[in-house]
Each structure stands twice: as C-alpha cells, then as structure tokens.
Amino acid sequence: HVLADLGGSPNGAAECPDGSLVVTQNGGHVRGARRRPSPGGLPLVAADGPVSWLSQDLVAPNDLCFGPDAMLYVTDPTRQMWLDDGRIWRCDPTTGQCEILCSVPWFPNGIAFDTADDAVFVASTREGLIYRFPLDAGRLGRPEPFCDLRGKAPDGLAFGVDGYLLVAAVGHATTPGEVQLFAPDGSMVDKIHLGNSRYYTNLALNPSSPELLVTDADRGELLAVPWSTKGLVLHPFR
C-alpha cells in the first residue's frame, strides 16, 4: 500500500501526534536515486495521504526526531562532493518555522535523544563518530565525541529503555555493515552481524516488544531481529 509518492529521495520520517508524518526530503542527492526530482525540505504527509510542505528552508535534510520540547530536530548535510559540512535545525511542526541551531564541519546524519533528554546525539558519517550535544534551555552546547565506530560509518540511531545506543553502521567496499551497540559511557559493547549487505542504513527498537528493525538498503528489505530490551518511546509520545 502506497501512502504517498514524494519523488526525489525521502530519507527519514517522524510521526506527529495526529498521525501525520514529517519526512526529510533531500531532493534526490544520494547514491542510486532514480526518481523524479523534488526540492529539498520537509514534506508533511497527512494520515490519509495528502502531501504539503512544512518547510523548504533546508538544503538536503537527512534525518529527524522530535525533542522533549515537541520540536523537530533535523540534520541537513550539504551533500556536495567538495564539501563536508552541514547544519542542525530545529523546526516547529505546527508553524513550519525553522532555525539553524548550529553548523558543523562534518556530515551530520542520524539523530536521537537519550533517556535523560539533556543532550542530542548526532552521527558524523565520514568521521565514523557519534557526537553528543548538551542541550540547555533549547540551545546546543559544544559537541563532544561520544563513541567511535572503529572504521564503520554511522547512519541511523536508536536508544533502548536501558540507555544503550544502537547504531546502523555502514560497511566499506570489502566489508559488510553491521549494527553496533554502545553503553551509556560510550564504550562499545557488541557488534551484530546481519548478513553480507554493506548498507544497513537505519534502525528502530520496538517500544512494545523486544524487537530490532533494520533497513537493508542493498536488498531493499526490512529486517526484524529479536532483541533483549524494548525501545525508548520516541517524542512526542514519551
């Protein structure tokens, strides 16, 4: 069942309280994108399918999540081969008003809040790092490296109710991707090998049952993996 045809290259989505979806539309600026062009921005898909624009202020947004303030936090890499930079935005899901919280000299990708809600975690794909940005009174503090993927490229992020971080780790030309698990202190706990695909790009933990869902972009599949803990309920539903 097709809910909406957005064209371009939609990348991430976050559910609003009314059942609509805010989508990160990068406009087709990714490897293998073959669909009709679209501007970059944040399309809003109503629960019954109609599409409108929440904002077109962003360049080529990648991923997003709701924060504890019920605002959307969005990563927006520039996506030009000669540039490796991007922005982190905060957007009002009601008015569409967006502001740049900070610019970074690296490729910002996955984004998530942890159990404490006092920081936002952002993947730096080409550096192979996850950064932790302290959050105070709605402003981002100086980013601190939280964990190192040791040669893999981080994409999507998800926290469990236990405070452990799961990262979709993209592989390289000769090595498959995997899922990596990090403790609350940033130390690596485990590597979960799912197969021979290189592009395990995003993941989610089921908050209702202990199950890990992983997107396999190489095969065009959604994988369901039994897991030991439930997922942290996402904002704005937390």
Side-chain angles (χ1 to χ4, degrees), residues 25 110 195:
Q25 169 62 268

Side-chain angles (χ1 to χ4, degrees), residues 52 113 234:
S52 58
F113 283 87
L234 301 178

Side-chain angles (χ1 to χ4, degrees), residues 1-10 12-13 18-25 35-56:
H1 173 69
V2 176
L3 175 63
D5 186 351
L6 300 175
S9 186
D18 63 0
S20 61
L21 297 174
V22 181
V23 179
T24 48
Q25 169 62 268
R35 305 194 65 193
R36 68 181 186 279
S38 169
L42 300 177
L44 181 64
V45 181
D48 56 353
V51 179
S52 58
W53 283 101
L54 181 65
S55 175
Q56 289 182 274

Side-chain angles (χ1 to χ4, degrees), residues 71-123:
M71 303 287 274
L72 286 161
Y73 289 74
V74 189
T75 56
D76 184 25
T78 300
R79 293 185 182 274
Q80 299 293 336
M81 292 302 294
W82 58 91
L83 296 173
D84 193 11
D85 67 353
R87 294 145 297 282
I88 300 172
W89 296 75
R90 181 171 52 211
C91 300
D92 188 320
T94 303
T95 66
Q97 183 177 356
C98 297
E99 63 171 328
I100 296 176
L101 295 179
C102 69
S103 296
V104 294
W106 36 269
F107 189 104
N109 199 325
I111 185 167
F113 283 87
D114 69 352
T115 55
D117 278 341
D118 60 356
V120 61
F121 294 75
V122 181

Side-chain angles (χ1 to χ4, degrees), residues 141-154:
R142 184 182 298 275
E144 308 155 347
F146 173 71
C147 62
D148 187 332
L149 272 72
R150 304 178 189 176
K152 302 292 186 185

